[in-house]
Coordinates of all heavy atoms in Angstrom, one line a residue:
M1 N 0.9 -1.2 0.0 CA 0.0 0.1 0.0 C 0.9 1.2 0.0 O 2.0 1.3 0.7 CB -0.9 0.0 1.2 CG -1.8 1.3 1.4 SD -2.8 1.2 2.8 CE -4.3 0.5 2.2
P2 N 0.6 2.2 -0.8 CA 1.4 3.4 -0.9 C 1.4 4.4 0.3 O 2.2 5.1 0.4 CB 1.0 4.1 -2.2 CG -0.4 3.6 -2.4 CD -0.4 2.2 -1.8
I3 N 0.4 4.2 1.3 CA 0.4 5.1 2.4 C 1.1 4.3 3.6 O 0.7 3.2 3.9 CB -1.0 5.4 2.8 CG1 -1.7 6.2 1.7 CG2 -1.0 6.2 4.2 CD1 -1.1 7.5 1.4
V4 N 2.1 4.8 4.2 CA 2.9 4.2 5.2 C 2.6 5.0 6.5 O 2.5 6.2 6.6 CB 4.4 4.3 4.9 CG1 5.3 3.6 6.1 CG2 4.7 3.6 3.6
V5 N 2.2 4.2 7.6 CA 2.1 4.7 8.8 C 3.3 4.7 9.7 O 3.9 3.6 10.0 CB 0.7 4.0 9.5 CG1 0.4 4.6 10.9 CG2 -0.4 4.0 8.6
D6 N 3.7 5.8 10.3 CA 4.8 5.9 11.1 C 4.6 6.1 12.6 O 5.3 6.8 13.3 CB 5.7 6.9 10.5 CG 6.5 6.6 9.2 OD1 6.7 5.4 9.1 OD2 6.7 7.5 8.4
I7 N 3.5 5.5 13.1 CA 3.2 5.6 14.5 C 4.3 5.2 15.4 O 4.6 5.8 16.4 CB 1.8 5.0 14.9 CG1 0.7 5.8 14.2 CG2 1.7 4.9 16.4 CD1 -0.7 5.1 14.4
D8 N 5.0 4.1 15.0 CA 6.1 3.6 15.8 C 7.3 4.6 16.1 O 7.7 4.8 17.2 CB 6.7 2.4 15.1 CG 5.9 1.1 15.2 OD1 5.1 1.1 16.2 OD2 6.1 0.2 14.4
V9 N 7.5 5.5 15.0 CA 8.5 6.4 15.1 C 8.1 7.5 16.2 O 8.9 7.8 17.1 CB 8.8 7.1 13.8 CG1 9.7 8.3 14.0 CG2 9.2 6.2 12.7
M10 N 6.9 7.8 16.1 CA 6.5 9.0 17.1 C 6.3 8.3 18.5 O 6.7 9.1 19.5 CB 5.1 9.6 16.7 CG 5.1 10.4 15.3 SD 6.5 11.7 15.5 CE 5.9 12.7 16.7
L11 N 5.9 7.1 18.6 CA 5.9 6.5 20.0 C 7.3 6.4 20.5 O 7.4 6.6 21.8 CB 5.3 5.2 19.8 CG 3.9 4.9 19.8 CD1 3.5 3.4 19.4 CD2 3.1 5.4 20.9
A12 N 8.3 6.1 19.7 CA 9.6 6.0 20.2 C 10.2 7.3 20.7 O 10.7 7.4 21.7 CB 10.6 5.4 19.2
R13 N 9.9 8.4 19.9 CA 10.3 9.7 20.2 C 9.6 10.2 21.5 O 10.2 11.1 22.2 CB 9.9 10.7 19.1 CG 10.8 10.6 17.9 CD 10.4 11.6 16.8 NE 11.2 11.4 15.6 CZ 11.0 11.9 14.4 NH1 9.9 12.7 14.3 NH2 11.7 11.6 13.4
R14 N 8.4 9.8 21.8 CA 7.7 10.3 22.9 C 7.8 9.4 24.1 O 7.2 9.5 25.1 CB 6.2 10.4 22.6 CG 5.8 11.3 21.4 CD 6.3 12.8 21.8 NE 5.9 13.7 20.7 CZ 6.6 14.3 19.8 NH1 8.0 14.0 20.0 NH2 6.2 15.1 19.0
K15 N 8.5 8.3 23.9 CA 8.7 7.2 25.0 C 7.5 6.7 25.6 O 7.2 6.7 26.8 CB 9.7 7.7 26.0 CG 11.1 8.0 25.5 CD 12.0 8.5 26.6 CE 13.4 8.5 26.2 NZ 13.7 9.6 25.2
M16 N 6.5 6.4 24.6 CA 5.2 6.0 25.0 C 4.9 4.7 24.5 O 5.4 4.2 23.3 CB 4.1 7.1 24.4 CG 2.8 6.9 24.7 SD 1.7 8.1 24.1 CE 2.3 9.6 24.6
S17 N 4.1 3.8 25.2 CA 3.8 2.5 24.7 C 2.5 2.5 23.9 O 1.8 3.6 23.9 CB 3.5 1.6 25.9 OG 2.3 1.9 26.7
V18 N 2.3 1.5 23.2 CA 1.0 1.3 22.4 C -0.2 1.5 23.2 O -1.2 2.1 23.0 CB 1.0 0.1 21.4 CG1 -0.4 -0.1 20.8 CG2 2.1 0.1 20.4
G19 N -0.2 0.7 24.3 CA -1.2 0.8 25.3 C -1.5 2.1 25.8 O -2.7 2.5 26.0
Q20 N -0.5 2.9 26.1 CA -0.6 4.3 26.7 C -1.4 5.1 25.7 O -2.2 5.9 26.0 CB 0.6 5.0 27.1 CG 1.2 4.3 28.4 CD 2.7 4.9 28.5 OE1 3.6 5.0 27.5 NE2 3.0 5.0 29.9
L21 N -0.9 5.1 24.4 CA -1.4 5.8 23.2 C -2.8 5.5 23.1 O -3.7 6.5 22.9 CB -0.7 5.7 22.0 CG -1.1 6.5 20.8 CD1 -1.1 8.0 21.1 CD2 -0.2 6.1 19.6
A22 N -3.2 4.3 23.0 CA -4.5 3.7 22.8 C -5.5 4.3 23.9 O -6.6 4.9 23.5 CB -4.6 2.2 22.9
E23 N -5.0 4.3 25.2 CA -5.9 4.7 26.3 C -6.1 6.3 26.1 O -7.2 6.7 26.3 CB -5.2 4.4 27.6 CG -5.9 4.9 28.7 CD -5.3 4.4 30.0 OE1 -4.6 3.3 30.0 OE2 -5.4 5.1 31.1
R24 N -5.0 7.0 25.9 CA -5.1 8.5 25.7 C -6.0 8.9 24.6 O -6.6 9.9 24.5 CB -3.7 9.1 25.7 CG -2.9 9.0 27.0 CD -1.6 9.6 27.0 NE -0.9 9.2 28.1 CZ 0.3 9.7 28.3 NH1 0.9 10.4 27.3 NH2 1.0 9.3 29.4
V25 N -5.9 8.2 23.3 CA -6.7 8.5 22.2 C -8.1 8.1 22.4 O -9.0 8.7 21.8 CB -6.0 7.9 20.9 CG1 -6.8 8.0 19.8 CG2 -4.6 8.5 20.8
G26 N -8.3 7.1 23.1 CA -9.7 6.5 23.3 C -10.1 5.4 22.2 O -11.3 5.4 21.9
I27 N -9.1 4.6 21.8 CA -9.4 3.5 20.9 C -8.8 2.4 21.5 O -8.0 2.4 22.4 CB -8.8 3.8 19.4 CG1 -7.3 3.8 19.4 CG2 -9.4 4.9 18.9 CD1 -6.7 4.0 18.0
T28 N -9.2 1.1 21.0 CA -8.6 0.0 21.6 C -7.2 -0.4 21.1 O -6.9 0.1 20.1 CB -9.5 -1.3 21.2 OG1 -9.3 -1.5 19.8 CG2 -11.0 -1.1 21.6
P29 N -6.4 -1.0 22.0 CA -5.1 -1.4 21.5 C -5.1 -2.2 20.1 O -4.2 -2.0 19.4 CB -4.5 -2.2 22.7 CG -5.3 -1.7 23.9 CD -6.7 -1.5 23.4
A30 N -6.1 -3.1 20.1 CA -6.3 -3.9 18.8 C -6.5 -3.0 17.6 O -5.8 -3.2 16.6 CB -7.4 -4.9 18.9
N31 N -7.3 -2.0 17.7 CA -7.5 -1.0 16.5 C -6.3 -0.2 16.2 O -6.0 0.1 15.0 CB -8.8 -0.2 16.7 CG -10.1 -0.9 16.5 OD1 -10.1 -1.9 15.9 ND2 -11.1 -0.4 17.2
L32 N -5.6 0.2 17.3 CA -4.4 0.9 17.2 C -3.3 0.1 16.4 O -2.7 0.5 15.6 CB -3.9 1.5 18.4 CG -2.6 2.4 18.4 CD1 -2.8 3.5 17.5 CD2 -2.2 2.8 19.7
A33 N -3.2 -1.2 16.8 CA -2.2 -2.0 16.2 C -2.6 -2.2 14.8 O -1.7 -2.4 13.8 CB -2.3 -3.5 16.8
V34 N -3.9 -2.3 14.4 CA -4.3 -2.5 13.0 C -3.7 -1.2 12.1 O -3.1 -1.3 11.0 CB -5.8 -2.6 12.6 CG1 -6.1 -2.4 11.3 CG2 -6.2 -4.0 13.3
L35 N -4.0 0.0 12.7 CA -3.4 1.2 12.1 C -2.0 1.3 12.1 O -1.3 1.5 11.1 CB -4.0 2.4 12.9 CG -3.8 3.7 12.3 CD1 -4.1 4.0 10.9 CD2 -4.2 4.9 13.2
K36 N -1.2 0.9 13.2 CA 0.2 1.0 13.3 C 0.8 0.1 12.3 O 1.9 0.4 11.8 CB 0.5 0.6 14.8 CG 2.0 0.8 15.1 CD 2.2 0.5 16.6 CE 2.2 -0.8 17.0 NZ 3.3 -1.7 16.4
N37 N 0.3 -1.1 12.1 CA 1.0 -2.2 11.3 C 0.6 -1.9 9.7 O 0.9 -2.8 9.0 CB 0.6 -3.4 11.8 CG 1.2 -3.8 13.2 OD1 2.2 -3.3 13.5 ND2 0.4 -4.5 14.0
G38 N -0.2 -1.0 9.4 CA -0.4 -0.7 8.0 C -1.4 -1.5 7.4 O -1.7 -1.6 6.3
R39 N -2.4 -2.2 8.3 CA -3.5 -3.0 7.8 C -4.7 -2.2 7.7 O -5.8 -2.9 7.2 CB -3.6 -4.2 8.7 CG -2.4 -5.2 8.7 CD -2.6 -6.5 9.4 NE -3.3 -6.2 10.8 CZ -2.7 -6.3 11.9 NH1 -1.5 -6.5 11.9 NH2 -3.4 -6.2 13.0
A40 N -4.8 -1.0 8.2 CA -6.1 -0.2 8.1 C -6.4 0.2 6.6 O -5.5 0.6 6.0 CB -6.0 0.9 9.0
K41 N -7.6 0.2 6.4 CA -8.1 0.7 5.1 C -8.5 2.2 5.1 O -8.5 2.8 4.1 CB -9.3 -0.2 4.5 CG -8.9 -1.7 4.3 CD -8.0 -1.8 3.1 CE -7.7 -3.3 3.0 NZ -6.6 -3.4 2.1
A42 N -8.8 2.6 6.3 CA -9.2 4.0 6.4 C -8.8 4.5 7.9 O -8.7 3.7 8.7 CB -10.7 4.0 6.3
V43 N -8.9 5.7 8.1 CA -8.7 6.5 9.4 C -9.6 7.5 9.5 O -9.7 8.4 8.7 CB -7.4 6.7 9.7 CG1 -6.6 7.7 8.9 CG2 -7.2 7.1 11.2
R44 N -10.4 7.7 10.5 CA -11.3 8.8 10.8 C -10.3 10.0 11.2 O -9.4 9.9 11.8 CB -12.2 8.6 11.9 CG -13.3 7.5 11.7 CD -14.4 7.4 12.7 NE -15.4 6.7 12.3 CZ -15.8 5.5 13.0 NH1 -15.2 5.3 14.2 NH2 -16.8 4.8 12.6
F45 N -10.8 11.1 10.5 CA -10.1 12.4 10.8 C -10.1 12.7 12.3 O -9.1 13.2 13.0 CB -10.7 13.6 10.1 CG -10.3 13.6 8.8 CD1 -10.9 14.5 7.9 CD2 -9.2 12.8 8.2 CE1 -10.6 14.6 6.6 CE2 -8.8 13.0 6.9 CZ -9.5 13.9 6.0
T46 N -11.2 12.3 13.0 CA -11.2 12.5 14.5 C -10.1 11.7 15.3 O -9.5 12.2 16.2 CB -12.5 12.2 15.2 OG1 -13.0 10.7 14.8 CG2 -13.6 13.2 14.7
T47 N -9.9 10.5 14.8 CA -8.9 9.6 15.4 C -7.5 10.2 15.1 O -6.5 10.3 15.9 CB -9.0 8.1 14.8 OG1 -10.3 7.6 15.1 CG2 -7.9 7.2 15.4
L48 N -7.3 10.6 13.8 CA -6.1 11.2 13.4 C -5.8 12.5 14.2 O -4.6 12.7 14.6 CB -6.1 11.5 12.0 CG -4.8 12.0 11.3 CD1 -3.7 11.1 11.6 CD2 -4.9 12.4 9.8
A49 N -6.8 13.3 14.4 CA -6.6 14.6 15.3 C -6.3 14.2 16.6 O -5.3 14.8 17.2 CB -7.9 15.3 15.2
A50 N -6.9 13.2 17.2 CA -6.5 12.7 18.5 C -5.1 12.2 18.7 O -4.4 12.4 19.6 CB -7.6 11.6 19.0
L51 N -4.6 11.4 17.7 CA -3.3 10.9 17.6 C -2.3 12.1 17.7 O -1.4 12.1 18.3 CB -3.1 10.0 16.4 CG -3.8 8.7 16.5 CD1 -3.8 8.0 15.1 CD2 -3.1 7.8 17.6
C52 N -2.6 13.0 16.7 CA -1.8 14.2 16.6 C -1.7 15.0 17.9 O -0.7 15.5 18.3 CB -2.2 15.1 15.4 SG -1.9 14.4 13.9
E53 N -2.9 15.1 18.6 CA -2.9 16.0 19.9 C -2.1 15.2 21.0 O -1.2 15.8 21.6 CB -4.3 16.0 20.3 CG -4.5 16.9 21.5 CD -5.9 17.1 21.9 OE1 -6.8 16.8 21.2 OE2 -6.1 17.6 23.1
V54 N -2.4 13.9 21.0 CA -1.6 13.1 22.1 C 0.0 13.1 21.8 O 0.8 13.3 22.7 CB -2.2 11.7 22.3 CG1 -1.3 10.9 23.2 CG2 -3.6 11.8 22.7
L55 N 0.3 12.9 20.7 CA 1.7 12.7 20.2 C 2.4 14.1 19.9 O 3.5 14.1 19.6 CB 1.9 11.8 19.1 CG 1.5 10.3 19.3 CD1 1.4 9.6 17.9 CD2 2.4 9.7 20.2
E56 N 1.6 15.1 20.0 CA 2.0 16.5 19.7 C 2.9 16.6 18.4 O 4.0 16.9 18.3 CB 2.9 17.0 20.8 CG 2.2 17.1 22.1 CD 3.1 17.5 23.3 OE1 4.3 17.6 23.2 OE2 2.5 17.7 24.4
C57 N 2.1 16.2 17.3 CA 2.7 16.1 16.1 C 1.7 16.6 15.0 O 0.6 16.8 15.2 CB 3.2 14.7 15.7 SG 1.9 13.5 15.5
Q58 N 2.1 16.6 13.7 CA 1.2 16.9 12.6 C 0.9 15.5 11.9 O 1.7 14.5 11.9 CB 2.1 17.9 11.6 CG 2.3 19.1 12.1 CD 1.0 19.9 12.3 OE1 0.2 19.9 11.5 NE2 1.0 20.6 13.5
P59 N -0.2 15.5 11.1 CA -0.6 14.3 10.4 C 0.5 13.7 9.4 O 0.7 12.6 9.4 CB -1.8 14.7 9.6 CG -2.4 15.9 10.3 CD -1.3 16.6 10.9
G60 N 1.3 14.6 8.8 CA 2.4 14.2 8.0 C 3.6 13.5 8.8 O 4.4 12.9 8.2
D61 N 3.5 13.7 10.1 CA 4.6 12.9 11.0 C 4.1 11.5 11.1 O 4.8 10.6 11.5 CB 4.6 13.6 12.3 CG 5.2 15.0 12.3 OD1 6.0 15.2 11.4 OD2 4.7 15.8 13.1
L62 N 2.8 11.2 10.9 CA 2.3 9.9 11.1 C 2.1 9.1 9.8 O 2.1 7.9 9.7 CB 1.0 9.9 11.9 CG 1.0 10.6 13.3 CD1 -0.3 10.6 13.9 CD2 1.9 9.8 14.2
L63 N 1.8 9.9 8.7 CA 1.3 9.2 7.5 C 2.2 9.7 6.3 O 2.6 11.0 6.3 CB -0.1 9.6 7.2 CG -1.1 9.2 8.1 CD1 -2.5 9.7 7.6 CD2 -1.2 7.7 8.3
R64 N 2.7 8.9 5.4 CA 3.5 9.3 4.3 C 3.1 8.5 3.1 O 2.6 7.3 3.3 CB 5.0 9.3 4.6 CG 5.7 8.1 4.9 CD 7.1 8.2 5.2 NE 7.5 7.2 6.1 CZ 8.0 6.0 5.5 NH1 8.2 5.9 4.2 NH2 8.3 5.1 6.3
W65 N 3.3 8.9 1.9 CA 3.0 8.4 0.7 C 4.3 7.8 0.1 O 5.2 8.5 0.1 CB 2.3 9.2 -0.2 CG 1.8 8.6 -1.6 CD1 0.8 7.8 -1.7 CD2 2.6 8.8 -2.8 NE1 0.8 7.4 -3.2 CE2 1.9 8.0 -3.8 CE3 3.8 9.4 -3.1 CZ2 2.3 7.9 -5.2 CZ3 4.2 9.4 -4.5 CH2 3.5 8.6 -5.4
E66 N 4.3 6.6 -0.4 CA 5.4 6.0 -1.1 C 4.9 5.3 -2.4 O 3.8 4.8 -2.5 CB 6.1 4.9 -0.2 CG 6.9 5.4 0.9 CD 7.7 4.2 1.5 OE1 7.6 3.1 1.2 OE2 8.6 4.7 2.4
T67 N 5.7 5.3 -3.4 CA 5.4 4.6 -4.6 C 5.5 3.1 -4.4 O 6.2 2.6 -3.6 CB 6.3 5.1 -5.8 OG1 7.6 4.8 -5.5 CG2 6.0 6.6 -6.0
D68 N 4.9 2.4 -5.3 CA 4.8 0.9 -5.3 C 5.8 0.2 -6.2 O 5.7 -1.0 -6.4 CB 3.4 0.4 -5.4 CG 2.8 0.3 -4.1 OD1 3.3 0.5 -3.0 OD2 1.5 -0.1 -4.1
G69 N 6.5 0.9 -7.0 CA 7.3 0.2 -8.0 C 8.3 1.0 -8.6 O 8.5 2.1 -8.2
A70 N 9.1 0.4 -9.5 CA 10.3 1.2 -10.0 C 9.9 2.1 -11.0 O 10.6 3.2 -11.2 CB 11.2 0.0 -10.7
D71 N 8.6 2.1 -11.5 CA 8.1 3.1 -12.4 C 7.6 4.4 -11.7 O 7.3 5.4 -12.4 CB 7.1 2.6 -13.4 CG 5.9 2.0 -12.7 OD1 5.8 2.1 -11.3 OD2 4.9 1.5 -13.3
G72 N 7.6 4.4 -10.3 CA 7.2 5.4 -9.6 C 5.6 5.7 -9.5 O 5.2 6.8 -9.1
V73 N 4.9 4.8 -9.9 CA 3.5 4.9 -10.0 C 2.8 4.0 -8.8 O 3.1 2.9 -8.6 CB 2.8 4.3 -11.3 CG1 1.3 4.4 -11.3 CG2 3.4 5.1 -12.5
A74 N 2.0 4.8 -8.0 CA 1.3 4.0 -6.9 C 0.1 3.1 -7.7 O -0.5 3.6 -8.6 CB 0.7 5.0 -6.1
R75 N 0.0 2.0 -7.3 CA -1.1 1.1 -7.7 C -2.0 0.7 -6.7 O -1.8 0.4 -5.6 CB -0.3 -0.2 -8.3 CG 0.7 0.1 -9.4 CD 0.9 -1.0 -10.3 NE 2.0 -0.9 -11.2 CZ 2.0 0.0 -12.3 NH1 1.1 0.6 -12.5 NH2 3.2 0.1 -13.0
A76 N -3.3 0.6 -7.1 CA -4.3 0.1 -6.3 C -4.3 -1.3 -6.1 O -3.9 -2.0 -7.0 CB -5.6 0.7 -6.7
E77 N -4.8 -1.8 -5.0 CA -4.8 -3.3 -4.8 C -6.3 -3.7 -4.9 O -7.2 -3.0 -4.4 CB -4.3 -3.7 -3.4 CG -2.7 -3.5 -3.4 CD -2.2 -4.0 -2.1 OE1 -3.0 -4.5 -1.2 OE2 -1.0 -4.1 -2.0
G78 N -6.4 -4.8 -5.4 CA -7.9 -5.4 -5.4 C -8.2 -6.1 -4.2 O -7.3 -6.0 -3.3
A79 N -9.5 -6.6 -4.1 CA -9.8 -7.1 -2.8 C -9.0 -8.3 -2.4 O -8.9 -8.7 -1.2 CB -11.4 -7.5 -3.0
D80 N -8.4 -9.0 -3.4 CA -7.6 -10.2 -3.0 C -6.2 -9.9 -2.9 O -5.2 -10.7 -2.6 CB -7.7 -11.3 -4.1 CG -7.1 -10.7 -5.6 OD1 -6.8 -9.4 -5.6 OD2 -7.0 -11.5 -6.5
G81 N -5.8 -8.5 -2.9 CA -4.4 -8.0 -2.5 C -3.5 -7.9 -3.8 O -2.4 -7.6 -3.7
T82 N -4.0 -8.4 -4.9 CA -3.2 -8.2 -6.1 C -3.4 -6.9 -6.7 O -4.4 -6.3 -6.6 CB -3.5 -9.4 -7.2 OG1 -5.0 -9.2 -7.5 CG2 -3.4 -10.8 -6.7
P83 N -2.3 -6.4 -7.5 CA -2.4 -5.1 -8.1 C -3.4 -5.0 -9.2 O -3.6 -5.9 -9.9 CB -1.0 -4.9 -8.6 CG -0.2 -5.9 -7.9 CD -1.0 -7.0 -7.6
E84 N -4.1 -3.9 -9.3 CA -5.1 -3.6 -10.3 C -4.3 -2.7 -11.3 O -3.7 -1.7 -10.9 CB -6.3 -2.9 -9.7 CG -7.2 -3.8 -8.8 CD -8.4 -3.1 -8.3 OE1 -8.5 -1.9 -8.5 OE2 -9.2 -3.7 -7.8
G85 N -4.5 -3.0 -12.5 CA -4.1 -2.0 -13.6 C -2.6 -2.2 -13.9 O -1.5 -2.1 -13.6

């Protein structure tokens, strides 16, 4: 997926555990793990705002875009995880 989640980086900088962050943001540790490990398909802006508030950072500190191939083009994935197009 071309969107990379860097929550681990901010957790390390803030010397905070996943459990502490989940509690302060108001989401379950399991849901935070899904987001942190890049398995989430979406994130609510309210959740992103809460993460930024607790971690004292900007959305760009948590999310970044990367290309998926040598040609520099991001490709969408189908429901089965294979590239479309």
Side-chain angles (χ1 to χ4, degrees):
M1 177 181 269
I3 301 298
V4 178
V5 181
D6 286 327
I7 290 176
D8 283 340
V9 173
M10 294 308 297
L11 283 171
R13 288 182 183 166
R14 303 296 185 252
K15 296 182 173 63
M16 188 180 298
S17 72
V18 172
Q20 289 172 321
L21 180 60
E23 184 177 328
R24 292 181 188 180
V25 170
I27 62 175
T28 66
N31 283 342
L32 182 57
V34 167
L35 180 60
K36 183 177 79 71
N37 296 324
R39 294 188 317 258
K41 298 293 181 188
V43 60
R44 289 189 174 119
F45 281 167
T46 53
T47 301
L48 183 58
L51 287 166
C52 290
E53 183 176 350
V54 171
L55 293 170
E56 299 177 354
C57 66
Q58 294 294 313
D61 296 325
L62 300 176
L63 304 172
R64 63 187 159 87
W65 180 81
E66 284 188 354
T67 58
D68 270 354
D71 59 4
V73 176
R75 303 203 189 285
E77 289 183 358
D80 62 356
T82 58
E84 292 179 350

